[in-house]
Amino acid sequence: MSSTRNRRPLSAATPNQTPLLQRRLKTKPALTVIVILLLGNILWFISWLIPNKDLEIGSDEQVAAVDGDTITRQEWMVAMEERYGKETLQNLVNESVMEKAAKKFKIQVTDKEIDLELALMRSAQDKFDTAMQNLSSEQLRQKIRSQLILDKVLTKDMVIKEDSIEKYYEENQALYNTKTGYRTNFIEVDSKKAAEEALKEMKDPSDFSVLAREISVDSASASLGGDIGFLTEKQENVDPAILKAVNDLKAGEVSKAFKLANGHYGIVQVQEITEGQSFTYDDVKEHIERELALEQLPQHVTPETFWSEFNATWYYGEAKKGK
């Protein structure tokens, strides 16, 4: 991310501009959570790689071979640490630093606030969005908690006029009426026969993700076990056939095979359903105040800014400096 950000007045957007808060809802969660999603995936992957107690990381155990040339567990783990270790450790330190900051500045983050952020993030999605994919509910809530702590620390001494908050709420109420969302898994195949054969192979709901990785021709979602995030009714950039199939399902159910606009066939599975909500001014007042205050900051601030304040050290040498 760049270290500076262009600022705009706190007044409402012109007719040809996207409202300030809507931009933040669409870009800030996506950019932030995409980054933390990558780190979350890396953490999970590394934990999966860790050998059992009978095997040491430095083992010469063979994990792969190419034309007779072997790749050992030691080589594998060293490569993982070199490529992803720094980012993963940085994420862990940042989370710890933010918890220390919360205690020092007496910052409270409630479950209700996290629920609100989640609802607004999901409603801001207007296409297939990987922002929340492959993160457990607990992991995602922890990431949002850390971000909220940082935002509250940065804006704790800033004052936004009440009439500015009220005006923005009145002019952007549509942002606070969220639609019902369906977290969806998707399989795309090139024929109805292939789709029906896939359905026959499913003996358990968990089979869906396995089959998606094996047979789905939609490579982006296949690599994630078919996960295409949260969908809402009449969502843009999503095949209407997918939305129709999803809206007919309950959580945990799998659809019948249906034809897609491109001539292929699809199958969907609904993992989770989040009911739509209407948030009052009192519900979102602090959220809007915080977002408008953040827009007044002269530059982008990251958790690394607080490392020295809490004596954070790490394997890679000097404490990372904030930007």
Side-chain angles (χ1 to χ4, degrees):
M1 285 189 181
S2 61
S3 60
T4 60
R5 185 188 302 168
N6 292 330
R7 302 291 161 190
R8 295 183 52 220
L10 297 181
S11 58
T14 63
N16 294 325
Q17 293 175 313
T18 304
L20 175 146
L21 184 55
Q22 188 175 31
R23 289 204 321 275
R24 287 188 64 82
L25 284 172
K26 288 188 176 183
T27 59
K28 178 185 171 184
L31 292 174
T32 302
V33 184
I34 285 174
V35 172
I36 63 180
L37 169 65
L38 174 61
L39 295 173
N41 289 343
I42 292 168
L43 279 171
W44 172 86
F45 189 46
I46 290 177
S47 68
W48 178 74
L49 293 178
I50 293 175
N52 60 44
K53 294 181 180 179
D54 296 328
L55 293 172
E56 298 181 358
I57 291 180
S59 170
D60 288 333
E61 175 200 9
Q62 177 180 322
V63 294
V66 179
D67 197 20
D69 294 330
T70 64
I71 298 175
T72 67
R73 179 176 294 276
Q74 180 182 21
E75 293 171 329
W76 188 19
M77 295 303 292
V78 168
M80 284 293 296
E81 194 283 325
E82 289 178 348
R83 296 179 187 181
Y84 308 117
K86 189 172 184 178
E87 293 84 353
T88 302
L89 182 56
Q90 181 180 338
N91 185 55
L92 291 173
V93 175
N94 283 342
E95 287 187 4
S96 181
V97 165
M98 286 298 94
E99 292 299 328
K100 295 289 186 182
K103 291 180 180 179
K104 177 175 180 178
F105 298 109
K106 296 180 172 57
I107 298 295
Q108 298 291 326
V109 174
T110 66
D111 286 340
K112 186 176 180 179
E113 289 176 304
I114 296 175
D115 290 340
L116 172 63
E117 295 298 322
L118 274 171
L120 295 178
M121 287 164 59
R122 288 166 177 165
S123 69
Q125 295 184 125
D126 57 4
K127 59 182 178 179
F128 285 172
D129 193 339
T130 61
M132 286 176 277
Q133 293 164 226
N134 246 25
L135 277 180
S136 70
S137 176
E138 183 179 350
Q139 289 172 327
L140 183 55
R141 293 181 72 85
Q142 178 57 44
K143 301 301 181 184
I144 293 173
R145 172 179 166 78
S146 292
Q147 185 62 49
L148 281 171
I149 292 171
L150 175 61
D151 291 349
K152 288 188 175 189
V153 169
L154 296 176
T155 60
K156 63 184 178 67
D157 297 322
M158 300 178 71
V159 178
I160 301 297
K161 293 182 179 179
E162 180 87 16
D163 57 355
S164 296
I165 303 172
E166 291 177 349
K167 181 179 180 181
Y168 202 86
Y169 177 77
E170 291 298 326
E171 294 179 349
N172 297 280
Q173 284 193 40
L175 296 176
Y176 308 112
N177 293 309
T178 65
K179 300 176 182 178
T180 297
Y182 302 81
R183 185 165 184 174
T184 306
N185 281 349
F186 173 60
I187 290 176
E188 179 179 342
V189 290
D190 56 12
S191 69
K192 184 176 182 180
K193 180 180 179 181
E196 291 177 340
E197 288 178 350
L199 285 170
K200 290 179 181 179
E201 287 187 47
M202 290 185 201
K203 306 299 181 183
D204 185 89
S206 62
D207 292 342
F208 197 102
S209 295
V210 175
L211 283 172
R213 288 187 172 90
E214 292 179 352
I215 68 172
S216 183
V217 298
D218 180 52
S219 57
S221 63
S223 64
L224 297 171
D227 195 342
I228 54 176
F230 280 85
L231 306 183
T232 58
E233 187 179 4
K234 298 180 181 179
Q235 186 170 331
E236 297 179 4
N237 301 323
V238 179
D239 192 319
I242 296 176
L243 297 179
K244 183 178 185 304
V246 165
N247 289 337
D248 291 337
L249 300 176
K250 296 179 181 178
E253 292 184 341
V254 177
S255 73
K256 296 179 180 179
F258 56 88
K259 192 170 185 178
L260 299 167
N262 63 5
H264 287 179
Y265 279 78
I267 309 168
V268 292
Q269 177 191 49
V270 172
Q271 302 180 58
E272 176 187 352
I273 299 176
T274 58
E275 297 296 332
Q277 295 175 269
S278 292
F279 295 101
T280 66
Y281 174 74
D282 288 338
D283 291 331
V284 298
K285 177 183 175 181
E286 290 185 10
H287 168 86
I288 296 175
E289 182 179 18
R290 187 168 57 250
E291 294 295 315
L292 294 177
L294 287 168
E295 287 294 326
Q296 292 186 345
L297 293 177
Q299 63 181 19
H300 178 69
V301 181
T302 67
E304 288 86 347
T305 304
F306 298 90
W307 280 32
S308 60
E309 185 169 348
F310 296 102
N311 300 315
T313 60
W314 68 337
Y315 174 81
Y316 294 93
E318 294 184 7
K320 189 177 180 65
K321 296 181 180 180
K323 296 181 179 180

